[in-house]
Amino acid sequence: MDVKVRIDGVDHKGQAQLLQGTLWVHVNGRTFTMDAGAGRKSRKKAGAGGSSDTVSAPMPGKVTKILVQTGAELKAGQAVLVMEAMKMEYTLKADIAGTVDSVSCAVGEQVALGKALVKIKPSAE
C-alpha cells in the first residue's frame, strides 16, 4: 500500500507492507521496520530470523542478481545478492566473514520471507 511518511517535517511517498507482525516501510531507497504488535507479547524466539551465517530473505521478493559463488571468500558486510520487492531493490550483505558454503536460490526466483538464500561457513580465526 502507498503511504505518506513525514521525515524532519518533509512529506515523502513510500510503500508499506505488513508481513508476519512486522510493518515494512520503504521510502527513498531506505527501509524501516516496526513491530506491528507493540504492546503484545512477541512470539519470536532468538534466532528465529536466521543465524548470522545465513543470508535470509528479509521479505518476499525476486532475486535479481547473485554476486557470489560457492567457495568464494567473503568479508563481513560484503554484498552477496540483490533482490527486488515492492518495486524497490535491496542488496543483501554477509554478517560475517567466511566462505560461501551454498547458494540456495537462482536469478529470477521468487522467494518467501525468511528463506535461506546463502549459507556462509565462518572463517576460523
Side-chain angles (χ1 to χ4, degrees):
M1 82 177 98
D2 291 332
V3 294
K4 183 167 73 174
V5 178
R6 181 168 290 166
I7 301 173
D8 296 330
V10 178
D11 290 339
H12 300 272
K13 289 178 99 176
Q15 294 185 324
Q17 186 172 17
L18 182 62
L19 298 169
Q20 297 183 352
T22 300
L23 180 65
W24 296 79
V25 179
H26 310 282
V27 178
N28 294 339
R30 297 181 65 193
T31 302
F32 304 91
T33 61
M34 179 186 328
D35 183 9
R40 289 189 286 169
K41 189 174 181 179
S42 174
R43 293 184 180 187
K44 292 183 179 177
K45 295 180 180 177
S51 63
S52 62
D53 65 347
T54 303
V55 177
S56 301
M59 64 197 74
K62 180 179 177 180
V63 176
T64 58
K65 295 178 189 169
I66 297 175
L67 306 172
V68 296
Q69 297 177 347
T70 301
E73 293 290 325
L74 289 175
K75 296 177 184 173
Q78 183 176 340
V80 294
L81 63 89
V82 178
M83 58 183 297
E84 182 178 287
M86 297 172 52
K87 301 178 185 174
M88 304 289 283
E89 189 173 272
Y90 302 92
T91 301
L92 305 183
K93 299 177 180 178
D95 286 341
I96 60 171
T99 305
V100 176
D101 192 37
S102 63
V103 177
S104 306
C105 59
V107 172
E109 181 180 346
Q110 289 285 335
V111 296
L113 171 70
K115 176 182 168 117
L117 303 172
V118 176
K119 179 86 173 162
I120 302 167
K121 183 177 180 182
S123 59
E125 294 184 29

